């Protein structure tokens, strides 16, 4: 009986739970773009956010240094920001490009990654689109006394 109850609850959680995606990807032709948002896939309003991108192509013809890549961020159909993508040259990372941004408000944003080759023969132009939910800004308490928190706790 306990086993049947456990099985029923486990199945109920599977059907009730929402899908959570740590990374999102978009594919156009032979190019796949994977996006990851820092910090921890949960960007917050009014805080610095790094959008990492991993661009892969089946024929291995894509070279990041040969790409004029731009990220366009939209909210409610209006362009909020347009940023040039920077190459990530850290060999330990799976990502090869990033932009740093700051979302002014919480809500749903559309992120568009456009890649155009600097030379004609390297790869075909592509565009990848992503939906990104930005959470409410976290209010940080202001310590006007200038006393470190641990000193306050020790005193109490």
């Amino acid at each position: 009986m306990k086993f049947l109850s456990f099985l029923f609850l486990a199945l109920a959680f599977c059907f009730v739970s929402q899908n959570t995606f740590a990374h999102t990807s978009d594919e156009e032709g032979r190019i796949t773009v994977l996006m990851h948002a820092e910090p921890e896939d949960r960007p917050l309003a009014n805080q610095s956010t790094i959008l990492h991108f991993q661009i892969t192509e089946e024929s291995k013809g894509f070279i990041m240094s040969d790409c004029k890549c731009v990220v366009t961020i939209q909210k409610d159909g209006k362009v909020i920001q347009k940023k040039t993508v920077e190459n990530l040259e850290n060999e330990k990372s799976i990502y090869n490009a990033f932009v740093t941004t700051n979302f002014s408000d919480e809500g749903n944003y559309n992120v568009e990654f456009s890649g155009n080759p600097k030379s004609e023969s390297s790869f075909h132009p592509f565009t990848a689109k992503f939906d990104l939910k930005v959470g409410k800004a976290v209010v940080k308490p202001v310590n006007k006394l200038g006393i470190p928190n641990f000193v306050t706790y020790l005193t109490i």
Side-chain angles (χ1 to χ4, degrees):
M1 184 66 185
K2 287 181 182 180
F3 178 74
L4 288 176
S5 298
F6 174 76
L7 184 62
F8 175 74
L9 286 174
L11 288 173
F13 282 119
C14 290
F15 290 111
V16 174
S17 65
Q18 295 179 343
N19 289 339
T20 303
F21 298 102
H23 301 81
T24 55
S25 65
D26 191 16
E27 193 171 326
E28 183 178 306
R30 298 163 70 149
I31 294 183
T32 302
V33 181
L34 175 80
M35 183 180 79
H36 165 70
E38 284 287 338
E40 301 172 4
D41 291 307
R42 305 188 128 252
L44 300 174
N46 295 318
Q47 292 186 8
S48 182
T49 299
I50 301 172
L51 300 177
H52 293 279
F53 298 94
Q54 178 187 21
I55 302 98
T56 54
E57 183 185 24
E58 287 178 18
S59 67
K60 309 283 187 221
F62 179 83
I63 299 170
M64 189 62 209
S65 60
D66 192 33
C67 183
K68 290 187 274 187
C69 296
V70 174
V71 168
T72 305
I73 300 171
Q74 299 178 22
K75 184 175 183 187
D76 300 325
K78 180 182 173 191
V79 174
I80 305 294
Q81 299 175 32
K82 202 168 203 169
K83 297 192 156 252
T84 302
V85 176
E86 298 180 47
N87 294 353
L88 183 62
E89 297 176 6
N90 182 350
E91 292 178 12
K92 295 180 181 179
S93 176
I94 63 167
Y95 304 106
N96 47 5
F98 73 98
V99 295
T100 303
T101 188
N102 195 327
F103 297 97
S104 59
D105 298 315
E106 66 179 299
N108 296 318
Y109 288 81
N110 300 99
V111 178
E112 184 177 285
F113 186 102
S114 302
N116 291 298
K118 292 178 183 176
S119 61
E120 291 183 30
S121 62
S122 67
F123 62 90
H124 293 289
F126 65 93
T127 301
K129 297 180 182 183
F130 307 95
D131 294 322
L132 183 65
K133 184 173 184 173
V134 175
K136 193 174 194 176
V138 176
V139 179
K140 295 180 182 176
V142 177
N143 184 353
K144 293 182 181 179
L145 295 175
I147 302 171
N149 287 339
F150 71 90
V151 172
T152 305
Y153 293 126
L154 287 175
T155 305
I156 293 175

PDB file of all heavy atoms in Angstrom, residues 36-49:
ATOM      1  N   HIS A  36      23.233  30.558 -22.294  1.00  0.00           N
ATOM      2  CA  HIS A  36      23.218  30.371 -20.848  1.00  0.00           C
ATOM      3  C   HIS A  36      23.314  31.747 -20.202  1.00  0.00           C
ATOM      4  O   HIS A  36      24.142  32.565 -20.590  1.00  0.00           O
ATOM      5  CB  HIS A  36      24.403  29.497 -20.426  1.00  0.00           C
ATOM      6  CG  HIS A  36      24.683  29.526 -18.961  1.00  0.00           C
ATOM      7  ND1 HIS A  36      23.847  28.953 -18.046  1.00  0.00           N
ATOM      8  CD2 HIS A  36      25.707  30.059 -18.261  1.00  0.00           C
ATOM      9  CE1 HIS A  36      24.358  29.126 -16.829  1.00  0.00           C
ATOM     10  NE2 HIS A  36      25.489  29.798 -16.949  1.00  0.00           N
ATOM     11  N   ALA A  37      22.461  32.018 -19.226  1.00  0.00           N
ATOM     12  CA  ALA A  37      22.462  33.311 -18.541  1.00  0.00           C
ATOM     13  C   ALA A  37      23.083  33.172 -17.158  1.00  0.00           C
ATOM     14  O   ALA A  37      22.717  32.297 -16.390  1.00  0.00           O
ATOM     15  CB  ALA A  37      21.042  33.851 -18.432  1.00  0.00           C
ATOM     16  N   GLU A  38      24.033  34.039 -16.859  1.00  0.00           N
ATOM     17  CA  GLU A  38      24.631  34.106 -15.519  1.00  0.00           C
ATOM     18  C   GLU A  38      24.045  35.316 -14.813  1.00  0.00           C
ATOM     19  O   GLU A  38      23.832  36.344 -15.444  1.00  0.00           O
ATOM     20  CB  GLU A  38      26.151  34.303 -15.610  1.00  0.00           C
ATOM     21  CG  GLU A  38      26.906  33.074 -15.982  1.00  0.00           C
ATOM     22  CD  GLU A  38      26.982  32.066 -14.856  1.00  0.00           C
ATOM     23  OE1 GLU A  38      26.819  32.453 -13.681  1.00  0.00           O
ATOM     24  OE2 GLU A  38      27.172  30.890 -15.143  1.00  0.00           O
ATOM     25  N   PRO A  39      23.795  35.247 -13.561  1.00  0.00           N
ATOM     26  CA  PRO A  39      24.162  34.192 -12.637  1.00  0.00           C
ATOM     27  C   PRO A  39      23.100  33.100 -12.560  1.00  0.00           C
ATOM     28  O   PRO A  39      21.912  33.391 -12.500  1.00  0.00           O
ATOM     29  CB  PRO A  39      24.278  34.922 -11.294  1.00  0.00           C
ATOM     30  CG  PRO A  39      23.351  36.088 -11.415  1.00  0.00           C
ATOM     31  CD  PRO A  39      23.333  36.451 -12.875  1.00  0.00           C
ATOM     32  N   GLU A  40      23.551  31.873 -12.594  1.00  0.00           N
ATOM     33  CA  GLU A  40      22.769  30.671 -12.349  1.00  0.00           C
ATOM     34  C   GLU A  40      21.470  30.560 -13.148  1.00  0.00           C
ATOM     35  O   GLU A  40      20.449  30.118 -12.633  1.00  0.00           O
ATOM     36  CB  GLU A  40      22.456  30.568 -10.851  1.00  0.00           C
ATOM     37  CG  GLU A  40      23.699  30.512 -10.006  1.00  0.00           C
ATOM     38  CD  GLU A  40      23.405  30.607  -8.517  1.00  0.00           C
ATOM     39  OE1 GLU A  40      22.226  30.634  -8.117  1.00  0.00           O
ATOM     40  OE2 GLU A  40      24.360  30.665  -7.755  1.00  0.00           O
ATOM     41  N   ASP A  41      21.456  31.010 -14.381  1.00  0.00           N
ATOM     42  CA  ASP A  41      20.294  30.921 -15.256  1.00  0.00           C
ATOM     43  C   ASP A  41      19.083  31.677 -14.726  1.00  0.00           C
ATOM     44  O   ASP A  41      17.956  31.392 -15.096  1.00  0.00           O
ATOM     45  CB  ASP A  41      19.892  29.453 -15.520  1.00  0.00           C
ATOM     46  CG  ASP A  41      20.924  28.748 -16.365  1.00  0.00           C
ATOM     47  OD1 ASP A  41      21.258  29.273 -17.430  1.00  0.00           O
ATOM     48  OD2 ASP A  41      21.397  27.690 -15.949  1.00  0.00           O
ATOM     49  N   ARG A  42      19.302  32.605 -13.815  1.00  0.00           N
ATOM     50  CA  ARG A  42      18.208  33.376 -13.240  1.00  0.00           C
ATOM     51  C   ARG A  42      18.603  34.849 -13.202  1.00  0.00           C
ATOM     52  O   ARG A  42      18.903  35.389 -12.134  1.00  0.00           O
ATOM     53  CB  ARG A  42      17.889  32.891 -11.817  1.00  0.00           C
ATOM     54  CG  ARG A  42      17.609  31.412 -11.781  1.00  0.00           C
ATOM     55  CD  ARG A  42      17.115  30.959 -10.441  1.00  0.00           C
ATOM     56  NE  ARG A  42      15.882  30.223 -10.701  1.00  0.00           N
ATOM     57  CZ  ARG A  42      14.681  30.666 -10.410  1.00  0.00           C
ATOM     58  NH1 ARG A  42      14.497  31.800  -9.855  1.00  0.00           N
ATOM     59  NH2 ARG A  42      13.624  29.943 -10.685  1.00  0.00           N
ATOM     60  N   PRO A  43      18.603  35.523 -14.350  1.00  0.00           N
ATOM     61  CA  PRO A  43      18.968  36.945 -14.328  1.00  0.00           C
ATOM     62  C   PRO A  43      17.947  37.761 -13.540  1.00  0.00           C
ATOM     63  O   PRO A  43      16.758  37.461 -13.544  1.00  0.00           O
ATOM     64  CB  PRO A  43      18.975  37.332 -15.800  1.00  0.00           C
ATOM     65  CG  PRO A  43      18.158  36.303 -16.491  1.00  0.00           C
ATOM     66  CD  PRO A  43      18.252  35.056 -15.673  1.00  0.00           C
ATOM     67  N   LEU A  44      18.438  38.777 -12.846  1.00  0.00           N
ATOM     68  CA  LEU A  44      17.589  39.647 -12.054  1.00  0.00           C
ATOM     69  C   LEU A  44      17.689  41.072 -12.573  1.00  0.00           C
ATOM     70  O   LEU A  44      18.737  41.495 -13.069  1.00  0.00           O
ATOM     71  CB  LEU A  44      17.998  39.599 -10.578  1.00  0.00           C
ATOM     72  CG  LEU A  44      17.914  38.236  -9.900  1.00  0.00           C
ATOM     73  CD1 LEU A  44      18.480  38.300  -8.493  1.00  0.00           C
ATOM     74  CD2 LEU A  44      16.486  37.736  -9.880  1.00  0.00           C
ATOM     75  N   ALA A  45      16.608  41.816 -12.448  1.00  0.00           N
ATOM     76  CA  ALA A  45      16.587  43.210 -12.893  1.00  0.00           C
ATOM     77  C   ALA A  45      17.607  44.024 -12.090  1.00  0.00           C
ATOM     78  O   ALA A  45      17.855  43.761 -10.920  1.00  0.00           O
ATOM     79  CB  ALA A  45      15.181  43.787 -12.703  1.00  0.00           C
ATOM     80  N   ASN A  46      18.194  44.995 -12.765  1.00  0.00           N
ATOM     81  CA  ASN A  46      19.160  45.933 -12.176  1.00  0.00           C
ATOM     82  C   ASN A  46      20.416  45.264 -11.629  1.00  0.00           C
ATOM     83  O   ASN A  46      21.038  45.788 -10.726  1.00  0.00           O
ATOM     84  CB  ASN A  46      18.496  46.781 -11.085  1.00  0.00           C
ATOM     85  CG  ASN A  46      17.425  47.666 -11.658  1.00  0.00           C
ATOM     86  OD1 ASN A  46      17.595  48.256 -12.728  1.00  0.00           O
ATOM     87  ND2 ASN A  46      16.290  47.745 -10.991  1.00  0.00           N
ATOM     88  N   GLN A  47      20.749  44.103 -12.156  1.00  0.00           N
ATOM     89  CA  GLN A  47      21.992  43.450 -11.786  1.00  0.00           C
ATOM     90  C   GLN A  47      22.702  42.986 -13.054  1.00  0.00           C
ATOM     91  O   GLN A  47      22.064  42.645 -14.044  1.00  0.00           O
ATOM     92  CB  GLN A  47      21.724  42.255 -10.875  1.00  0.00           C
ATOM     93  CG  GLN A  47      21.193  42.670  -9.521  1.00  0.00           C
ATOM     94  CD  GLN A  47      21.066  41.500  -8.567  1.00  0.00           C
ATOM     95  OE1 GLN A  47      21.511  40.389  -8.848  1.00  0.00           O
ATOM     96  NE2 GLN A  47      20.450  41.727  -7.429  1.00  0.00           N
ATOM     97  N   SER A  48      24.006  42.989 -12.998  1.00  0.00           N
ATOM     98  CA  SER A  48      24.800  42.593 -14.160  1.00  0.00           C
ATOM     99  C   SER A  48      24.513  41.144 -14.536  1.00  0.00           C
ATOM    100  O   SER A  48      24.470  40.270 -13.681  1.00  0.00           O
ATOM    101  CB  SER A  48      26.279  42.774 -13.858  1.00  0.00           C
ATOM    102  OG  SER A  48      27.049  42.443 -14.980  1.00  0.00           O
ATOM    103  N   THR A  49      24.288  40.922 -15.818  1.00  0.00           N
ATOM    104  CA  THR A  49      24.003  39.594 -16.344  1.00  0.00           C
ATOM    105  C   THR A  49      24.949  39.308 -17.497  1.00  0.00           C
ATOM    106  O   THR A  49      25.153  40.153 -18.352  1.00  0.00           O
ATOM    107  CB  THR A  49      22.546  39.510 -16.850  1.00  0.00           C
ATOM    108  OG1 THR A  49      21.663  39.767 -15.769  1.00  0.00           O
ATOM    109  CG2 THR A  49      22.248  38.147 -17.437  1.00  0.00           C
TER     110      THR A  49
END
